[in-house]
Amino acid sequence: MTKQERAARTREALIRSAAREFDEHGYALATLSAISTGAGVSPGALHFHFENKPAVAAAVEQEASTALRRAARLAHRQGANALQNLADTTHALARLLREDIVVRAGYRLSCSRVRRTDLNLRQEWQSCVQQRIAEAADEGLLATGHGGQPDLVRTVVAATVGLEALCRDTREWLAPDTVTGLWRTLLPVLAAPGTLAGLEPAGSASVPAARAPVG
Amino acid sequence: MTKQERAARTREALIRSAAREFDEHGYALATLSAISTGAGVSPGALHFHFENKPAVAAAVEQEASTALRRAARLAHRQGANALQNLADTTHALARLLREDIVVRAGYRLSCSRVRRTDLNLRQEWQSCVQQRIAEAADEGLLATGHGGQPDLVRTVVAATVGLEALCRDTREWLAPDTVTGLWRTLLPVLAAPGTLAGLEPAGSASVPAARAPVG
């Protein structure tokens, strides 16, 4: 293993250990010494990579952001219609948040009121929902008769953010069955009757694993 | 003012100051000295009422719990059907969370993963939703054709918990219009067509102010 490879592995171990520490104790109570111990490296090795706690947190957020954006992009590329895309994207992001401690901790850091940075992943998610529902309207997929697009956007945003918030206590809230149940309930409100039959609340079979390497 | 009245006022001022401090800095970073300063009392006066930070936090949670339970009870007493009751209750609780810093801070303390006590207000809310939807089923109010009661319960819980989580950044998420928009979207999924026309997403006019004194 080259020196660069070793450095990259140490950095990755530190980010993972920091994510565990932030997830368990919250940002305010997480300590650099617990992070370096958790990664099995010396405090000096930590300081070689990161100047201080905000720098470690920023790296965790950055990793989360990259993974979430890539998963959203992959789901979007599948070519399904906008409503199916929206459901597929929630499944992909739920899987990442459920299975990947770095994504989970990074997302939460970026939602924290106490520690506010430029990166706001929850805001990005809201924009994504808004865009997909606007596309669905353009494609003529939306049902009529509800209160209008803003109501639909807010309901989908609230329900999905709620799943993430609830998942902090009980992992099952982001399980595939729960996300599918949410779409089984919401798709009939969103989709025009002719569109509904073609939509799969459990997600398109073609959606690849969220962290699969991109060619 | 008697000695007892003065003591009660000081205690109330301390609880309010603690709520502001927890809301702004989070439990971990809140300090007793900032709490006593915010209440305009000496550290000695604080220690007369509360032994330590967990005791202050428990008092804030207790106040929040009392107010939320009373609001839920009042909404339930209005005698409307179970689905209208559910909508009315969310309006009453949203108003409390929006307007009352003690309720807001207490609710969040009780949801915190880092600091876990016996009081779990989010769990109580889940039970309340579950009960109202079961009542609606018993009363023959529920629509058929969706995935079943568990899906409906989870969707309502996720969407309402999401509103509270989003409100931490942007107060508008618990505004009456937003809550009304949520019910405008969700009631058509929950309610049988014959029931829907009689339901008011904005809440029954008869629901009293959440903190009105109970006779």
Side-chain angles (χ1 to χ4, degrees):
Chain A
M1 190 161 37
T2 69
K3 212 168 168 179
Q4 283 84 349
E5 282 168 344
R6 264 202 307 277
R9 285 205 187 179
T10 302
R11 191 174 186 280
E12 210 181 296
L14 283 164
I15 288 177
R16 184 156 294 273
S17 169
R20 280 194 304 265
E21 180 74 5
F22 293 140
D23 187 56
E24 193 164 344
H25 302 293
Y27 176 76
L29 296 184
T31 66
L32 289 180
S33 66
I35 293 170
S36 59
T37 304
V41 305
S42 69
L46 186 151
H47 283 289
F48 174 79
H49 288 279
F50 302 107
E51 197 187 341
N52 50 27
K53 190 157 76 168
V56 189
V60 174
E61 276 184 48
Q62 198 49 59
E63 289 269 319
S65 163
T66 303
L68 288 166
R69 287 173 186 168
R70 187 170 67 186
R73 234 177 13 249
L74 281 173
H76 195 203
R77 254 194 231 151
Q78 296 307 307
N81 73 46
L83 289 178
Q84 187 66 58
N85 259 321
L86 185 57
D88 290 354
T89 306
T90 59
H91 278 284
L93 301 188
R95 181 175 167 179
L96 267 180
L97 285 163
R98 203 173 61 238
E99 294 180 356
D100 192 323
I101 179 85
V102 176
V103 171
R104 196 157 63 239
Y107 180 84
R108 285 172 194 175
L109 284 168
S110 107
C111 295
S112 152
R113 273 185 74 222
V114 174
R115 184 180 157 282
R116 173 60 68 226
T117 66
D118 288 343
L119 198 65
N120 189 332
L121 293 174
R122 198 183 269 167
Q123 189 63 56
E124 285 186 26
W125 171 237
Q126 290 178 44
S127 305
C128 177
V129 173
Q130 193 157 25
Q131 207 176 321
R132 290 297 171 279
I133 289 182
E135 284 167 19
D138 290 346
E139 294 172 20
L141 308 172
L142 281 195
T144 53
H146 44 65
Q149 272 187 54
D151 275 1
L152 295 181
V153 170
R154 279 193 288 258
T155 301
V156 171
V157 168
T160 46
V161 166
L163 290 186
E164 191 279 322
L166 286 154
C167 173
R168 297 181 194 198
D169 268 339
T170 312
R171 196 65 58 87
E172 288 307 301
W173 281 99
L174 281 178
D177 282 357
T178 316
V179 180
T180 299
L182 190 78
W183 286 114
R184 218 163 20 219
T185 312
L186 291 181
L187 282 175
V189 196
L190 275 88
T195 312
L196 188 59
L199 297 174
E200 182 43 75
S204 310
S206 59
V207 174
R211 276 210 143 176
V214 195
Chain B
M1 191 161 34
T2 68
K3 211 167 168 180
Q4 283 84 350
E5 282 168 345
R6 264 202 307 278
R9 284 205 187 179
T10 303
R11 190 173 187 280
E12 211 181 296
L14 283 164
I15 288 176
R16 185 156 293 273
S17 169
R20 280 195 302 266
E21 180 73 6
F22 292 140
D23 187 56
E24 193 164 342
H25 303 293
Y27 176 77
L29 295 185
T31 66
L32 290 181
S33 66
I35 292 170
S36 58
T37 304
V41 306
S42 68
L46 186 150
H47 282 290
F48 174 78
H49 288 279
F50 302 107
E51 196 187 342
N52 48 28
K53 191 158 75 168
V56 189
V60 174
E61 276 184 48
Q62 198 50 58
E63 289 268 320
S65 163
T66 304
L68 288 166
R69 286 174 186 167
R70 187 170 66 186
R73 233 175 15 247
L74 281 172
H76 195 204
R77 257 194 230 152
Q78 296 306 306
N81 72 47
L83 288 178
Q84 187 65 57
N85 259 322
L86 184 58
D88 290 355
T89 306
T90 59
H91 278 283
L93 302 188
R95 180 174 167 181
L96 267 180
L97 284 163
R98 203 172 63 238
E99 295 180 356
D100 193 322
I101 180 84
V102 176
V103 171
R104 197 158 60 240
Y107 180 84
R108 284 171 196 176
L109 284 168
S110 107
C111 295
S112 152
R113 273 185 75 222
V114 174
R115 185 181 155 282
R116 173 61 68 224
T117 66
D118 287 344
L119 198 65
N120 190 332
L121 292 174
R122 197 182 270 166
Q123 189 63 55
E124 286 186 25
W125 171 238
Q126 289 178 45
S127 304
C128 176
V129 173
Q130 193 156 24
Q131 207 177 320
R132 291 298 172 279
I133 289 182
E135 284 166 19
D138 289 346
E139 295 171 21
L141 307 172
L142 281 194
T144 51
H146 44 65
Q149 273 188 54
D151 275 0
L152 296 181
V153 170
R154 279 193 289 258
T155 301
V156 171
V157 167
T160 47
V161 166
L163 290 187
E164 191 279 322
L166 286 154
C167 173
R168 297 181 194 198
D169 268 340
T170 311
R171 196 66 58 87
E172 288 307 301
W173 281 98
L174 281 178
D177 282 356
T178 315
V179 180
T180 299
L182 190 78
W183 286 115
R184 218 163 21 221
T185 312
L186 292 181
L187 283 175
V189 196
L190 276 87
T195 312
L196 188 59
L199 296 173
E200 182 43 77
S204 310
S206 60
V207 174
R211 274 210 145 176
V214 194

